[in-house]
Amino acid sequence: MQMKAHKDEKTGTWYFVVSAGKDEDGKRRQIKRRGFRTEKEALKEMRKILQQVDESTYVKKSNLKYVDFLENEWLPSKEVTLRPVTYRTYKSNILNHINPYFNNQEMERITTVAIEKFYVHLLKQTGLSERSIQDIQKIIKSSFITAVKRKYIAYNPAVDAGAPKVPHKEMNVWNLDEVTKFLKSAQEDKLYIAFLLALTTGMRQSEILALRWKDIDFDEGILRVRQTLSHDGKVLIQATKTKSSSRTITLVSRLIHELKKQQRINKKEKIAANFDYEDNDLVICTSSGKPLNPRNLLRSFYRLIFKADVPAIRFHDLRHTVASLMLARNINPKIVKEILGHSDIRVTLDTYSHVLPIVHKQTASQYGEMLFGSE
């Protein structure tokens, strides 16, 4: 096919018209481009467009704004596949961080460099956690992949965008003496059972606050992790973080005793509240049966840390403490993985690699004694 550009005698610029097959309705489709200064420039652009048409990568120019695409197309399409808590997190990140930054920018004008600058902005200016920044990066990558599939843009600028390394928060754990000291200090607190659950089962905060009495089998001495509480404490989610998070944990005798004690307390509160009681069958709840707000748990936690005079750590570090103490006492990493509900044993080994040298040394020593006795 002969490529030919035409000169507009009125403006002195060059233009071209090429055939691009047929549209969805079977009508002939043409692509027009005007305003080229020279014939050479017009022919160069024509060759580029014809190649895109031939490779089915041609994208019709649009003025679609990135924020409109996110809110009106990408996010609604994810609602059916994401867990409710994840959907709300993504929506919050879009409204509070992505939209304000990209504002009214058109999708096709957002470059790889622009996305990299946004990642740097997140790291240096927002003070967001490592997890939040990673969530936002997932939104950016996934949304541009979708935009390419829907022919809004020809190229995905996010695919080559380098993300700066987010400083990993250092894991802080208690030793056995500190755990004992804290539990002793917390023994008379009304939320003692929550801390005892955390330090004997390694359960996540969201799992502890969603634990129901029907999830506990006192005869077998086990509990089953089956649901979670949202971060804002308003929604009980009938699902766990991942498939592997749905698990069964064997209870220590002290915990069984304290759970039965808590059950008696809950029954008394239910009777006292009468018709005002909202029965969610929760082990840990307010005096009216409603889910406990996670912030209230944390307030008690940090107050008790000060009272016990132990190092300040995050509530999530109680989970790390359980795993570290177990591994340091030669409990099989596979068992630890199952107790914590990790999806893969590699997650367990990578997360607690700092404990493994101690475990290896102890194992070698014990094996040596088994073979040769104490020398």
Side-chain angles (χ1 to χ4, degrees), residues 19-21 31 48-58:
S19 176
I31 301 171
K48 177 181 174 183
I49 289 177
L50 286 172
Q51 182 178 355
Q52 291 175 347
V53 170
D54 186 53
E55 296 173 351
S56 298
T57 59
Y58 172 74

Side-chain angles (χ1 to χ4, degrees), residues 78-146:
K78 293 294 179 181
E79 189 170 8
V80 294
T81 58
L82 295 174
R83 294 171 65 235
V85 65
T86 305
Y87 175 81
R88 288 194 296 272
T89 299
Y90 278 18
K91 184 176 182 179
S92 174
N93 283 330
I94 288 171
L95 294 177
N96 297 320
H97 301 291
I98 300 177
N99 286 5
Y101 186 88
F102 288 103
N103 200 6
N104 289 318
Q105 291 188 47
E106 296 172 4
M107 286 201 74
E108 61 185 18
R109 294 183 180 275
I110 296 177
T111 63
T112 298
V113 172
I115 293 174
E116 288 180 341
K117 287 182 178 179
F118 174 57
Y119 289 164
V120 172
H121 163 78
L122 290 175
L123 182 61
K124 293 185 175 181
Q125 304 296 327
T126 62
L128 290 172
S129 67
E130 177 185 10
R131 179 177 176 180
S132 293
I133 292 176
Q134 290 172 345
D135 283 343
I136 293 172
Q137 290 172 348
K138 286 179 184 177
I139 294 171
I140 296 290
K141 292 174 182 177
S142 175
S143 62
F144 275 102
I145 288 173
T146 302

Side-chain angles (χ1 to χ4, degrees), residues 328-365:
R329 277 152 184 77
N330 276 326
I331 294 178
N332 191 317
K334 186 176 184 298
I335 302 299
V336 177
K337 171 246 180 200
E338 292 171 355
I339 291 172
L340 296 181
H342 285 160
S343 57
D344 193 308
I345 194 169
R346 287 174 294 184
V347 175
T348 312
L349 297 175
D350 289 345
T351 305
Y352 305 105
S353 58
H354 64 287
V355 183
L356 297 181
I358 300 172
V359 176
H360 292 165
K361 188 174 181 179
Q362 292 173 343
T363 302
S365 177

